[in-house]
Amino acid sequence: MSGPKILLVASEALPFVKTGGLADVVGALPKYLTALGADVRVMIPKHSVVKERYQDELEQVAVSEVHLGWRRKYLGIQTMVLDGIRYYFIDNEDYFSGPVYRGGDAESEQYMYFCRAVLESVKLIDFTPDVIHCNDWQTGMIPMLLRTQYGLTAMNSIRTVFTIHNIKFQGMMGFGLMQDVLEIPDRYYAPRYVEANGCANMMKAGLVFADRITTVSPTYAKEILHPYFGMGMEGMLHARRADLVGIVNGIDVGEFDPRRDPALAVNYDTESMNLKWENKKTLRNRFGLKASIYDPVICMVTRMTPQKGLDLVQNVLEELLHSDLSFVLLGSGDRKYVNFFNYIAGKYPGKAGIYIGYSEELARQIYAGGDFLLMPSQFEPCGLSQMIAQRYGTLPIVRETGGLVDTVVPYNRFTKEGDGFSFGAFNAHDMQHVIRLALEVFRDKPTLNRLKKNAMLKDNSFMGSAKQYLDLYEEIG
Ligand code: ADP
């Protein structure tokens, strides 16, 4: 292979382990980069779910030890090839046998170990990358350690890219802990390095030391230069804005394909949209929905956090439920939202179908069986749900922020074109107004069908973005 050698590093990747959209991206991107000729390998922790499902297929590459200050920690490197991509797993039961994210200082230590282990592993595997592509704060120390502690080794020529998937989570801790685990000298505890708001900050280490910074949509790349979105990183990002670029995520269109998705009751494409109807029936049965089949189903598939705009939904949902529509939600997260949606399920049986939990299969059935997907995010680096929904002919109703701006063409009532609906201000009544517009369009079948077709035929694949990443690697490699 003649393309660049890339080591893609993250805390999670499909199909091995997923808690959010990061796993989808790290799962899909290598496939497209490989198709473009890059030699991409992926390195993630060997979380217990990986052990449970893939233990028999894993091969041991090396066993070693990692020094974390005074600690000596086991380092196992295991590997397997899946769909032509080589994956490496960092094996250490102390750190990765429990939850993927342990919370608090335990989580900081978990991922400081991971950063150190990745760099030590590069010496032990038979692969010297041109670029280590780091993702989110869990990998933030890699660019810093590489520049400040590995400068005199052969690894000095390795370049780094740091991708921000969500700037809200930064990996903060007391500097004492960072210093103790990674032997960082005092002088780096300064605002121009790892200090932010009186804490040591792993994401900041990545932002300061990476050769290039990317984030997952062009709009989010602009937004994070402002304090509202930048979460304290805006100053550093301003300083580095010449090295910051937004590359919109895509989805794995082979994986999310209504023509062959085995989770669906009936498969369909743009030529057989009437079969999408069968999926709507299945969804109705699944949740015991009683509203007429001719009425729309508005869905959500979401982490339940304030980021996802659930406060707006909470404000107007009961009012909306008095209209001729059904509401379906699949989600898990904050207790206050769980309580609210359980209350809704109890008060509106047959109108609202609520499933609290995580289910990949049900998510796909909802994308296929719904008419609209509501995603009124407060901020959204890119968002994948809206793209998956489009692929399944379910029209997204989104707030104009981050990647939602870059991936949804809002319905234009004059040209009757678009592939979704959007509203600007983070305000429940603006959202309700646009939902009403969507409900009007729902009754205009020719327009509705055109919008659905536009959505399904849209190129939401990773190919265009993978080319941009490749150009970036080649530029710095
Ligand atoms: P984020 O990464 O911020 O949670 P994204 O829209 O980028 O949001 O990605 C979310 C991904 O996780 C999508 O693939 C979505 O279908 C999936 N997802 C979210 N919540 C659930 C759930 N409760 N069950 C199954 N899949 C979910």
Side-chain angles (χ1 to χ4, degrees), residues 148-163:
T148 59
Q149 297 184 1
Y150 292 75
L152 300 176
T153 72
M155 288 162 69
N156 189 33
S157 63
I158 299 174
R159 299 282 163 251
T160 53
V161 171
F162 183 84
T163 296

Side-chain angles (χ1 to χ4, degrees), residues 14 18-25 165-166 169 249 251 256 301-305 307-308 330-332 355-364 367 375 379-386 388:
L14 274 180
K18 166 170 167 172
T19 72
L22 172 64
D24 293 89
V25 176
H165 294 262
N166 192 339
F169 305 106
N249 280 336
I251 55 170
F256 294 107
V301 177
T302 188
R303 277 188 299 120
M304 291 163 117
T305 69
Q307 177 197 336
K308 298 296 178 178
L330 163 64
S332 58
Y355 182 95
I356 304 294
Y358 190 91
S359 165
E360 189 68 35
E361 197 182 27
L362 182 56
R364 289 159 183 264
Y367 289 123
M375 209 169 162
F379 66 93
E380 194 60 73
C382 181
L384 298 173
S385 297
Q386 81 282 11
I388 304 171

Side-chain angles (χ1 to χ4, degrees), residues 102-115:
R102 290 186 171 175
D105 280 353
E107 186 171 312
S108 305
E109 189 179 324
Q110 221 183 346
Y111 287 100
M112 283 193 284
Y113 164 82
F114 180 59
C115 291

